[in-house]
Amino acid sequence: MPNSTTSNTSIDIELVVLDMAGTTVTDDGLVLDAFDAAATAVGLANDGPERDDARRYVLDTMGQSKIEVFRALFGSEDRAQAANREFESAYDARIDDGIAPVPGAAQAITTLRESGISVVLTTGFSAPTQKRIIDTLGWQDLPDAFLAPGDAGRGRPHPDLVLSAALRAEVSDIAAVAVVGDTSSDILSGRRAGASVLIGVLSGAHSEDLLRGAGATHVLDSVADLPPIVLP
């Protein structure tokens, strides 16, 4: 049973760092569809063990910077960049019809901000793709800030996105940060940064076992259940 009890941390949370795809945004399998288009564009066979292994790796590394995933899969920088361009093109082409807010996500963010907690939305996508998602949802003014790999250092599972968000929010202590995401990479990045509350949600890519294995202090069915965990 996912944990929905109030956090028992000894420090009030000042900042919540929220993942997007799978956590606050649903995309109806669009990531895998876009990956298939990217893999085909750089010559990966449409069927067979190599494609199956690549798809499994994409699932295992959900939440990480997409260009880093393609570098790991395809070796050469030119091939990785070509795959990333095709991925973003395929994803962007379906954003209007393929994405939607997770029910209750916007209200949860609003509740946190009205209570004095800063909220930063982060992603493994590039900044232009993140902006397309934000503009499509009309979320330009919903959080305090948005961060993507590149404009905030390395992507997940490195701690850079969380640390950049903490600096931007001017938190008094890194322990006053909560990190929320649907993948083990989200949780690991928060743990490496020093956040005291690491919340996994079951609306996206990874199971409760994977989230807890990465160090999640809480696991929720949805980000809609988040406010009672982090509010004082």
Side-chain angles (χ1 to χ4, degrees):
M1 182 71 179
N3 185 334
S4 60
T5 58
T6 303
S7 170
N8 59 2
T9 57
S10 59
I11 186 169
D12 287 344
I13 296 301
E14 300 171 17
L15 166 68
V16 174
V17 181
L18 277 170
D19 172 52
M20 292 181 65
T23 302
T24 55
V25 179
T26 63
D27 63 15
D28 195 28
L30 183 50
V31 169
L32 279 178
D33 290 345
F35 164 73
D36 279 332
T40 299
V42 297
L44 197 67
N46 289 334
D47 299 296
E50 191 176 9
R51 176 66 70 115
D52 292 343
D53 288 346
R55 284 173 64 87
R56 190 174 303 109
Y57 183 78
V58 169
L59 288 169
D60 289 344
T61 57
M62 281 287 191
Q64 295 186 20
S65 167
K66 296 299 177 282
I67 184 59
E68 294 299 335
V69 171
F70 291 133
R71 283 171 177 148
L73 279 173
F74 300 128
S76 76
E77 184 66 16
D78 287 347
R79 199 174 180 212
Q81 291 290 347
N84 195 56
R85 286 192 297 273
E86 182 61 32
F87 174 89
E88 293 191 351
S89 176
Y91 195 96
D92 287 357
R94 285 186 50 195
I95 280 178
D96 290 340
D97 300 321
I99 66 165
V102 167
Q107 183 56 53
I109 293 169
T110 299
T111 298
L112 296 178
R113 293 190 69 198
E114 288 177 347
S115 300
I117 295 175
S118 298
V119 177
V120 175
L121 290 181
T122 62
T123 185
F125 296 134
S126 69
T129 297
Q130 183 186 45
K131 185 177 186 305
R132 282 271 289 118
I133 296 170
I134 293 159
D135 289 347
T136 299
L137 296 175
W139 278 9
Q140 295 90 337
D141 299 320
L142 183 64
D144 292 276
F146 307 91
L147 291 174
D151 61 8
R154 300 164 296 176
R156 310 178 191 111
H158 299 291
D160 302 28
L161 287 170
V162 178
L163 293 174
S164 295
L167 288 170
R168 182 167 298 202
E170 297 184 336
V171 299
S172 61
D173 190 322
I174 194 64
V177 177
V179 174
V180 186
D182 66 300
T183 71
S184 56
S185 292
D186 295 311
I187 302 303
L188 185 54
S189 70
R191 194 177 78 188
R192 288 174 170 175
S196 64
V197 179
L198 307 169
I199 302 171
V201 294
L202 300 176
S203 53
H206 288 170
S207 67
E208 180 170 1
D209 285 347
L210 286 174
L211 294 168
R212 290 202 181 277
T217 58
H218 304 72
V219 176
L220 307 175
D221 288 325
S222 166
V223 71
D225 304 322
L226 175 62
I229 304 298
V230 297
L231 292 178

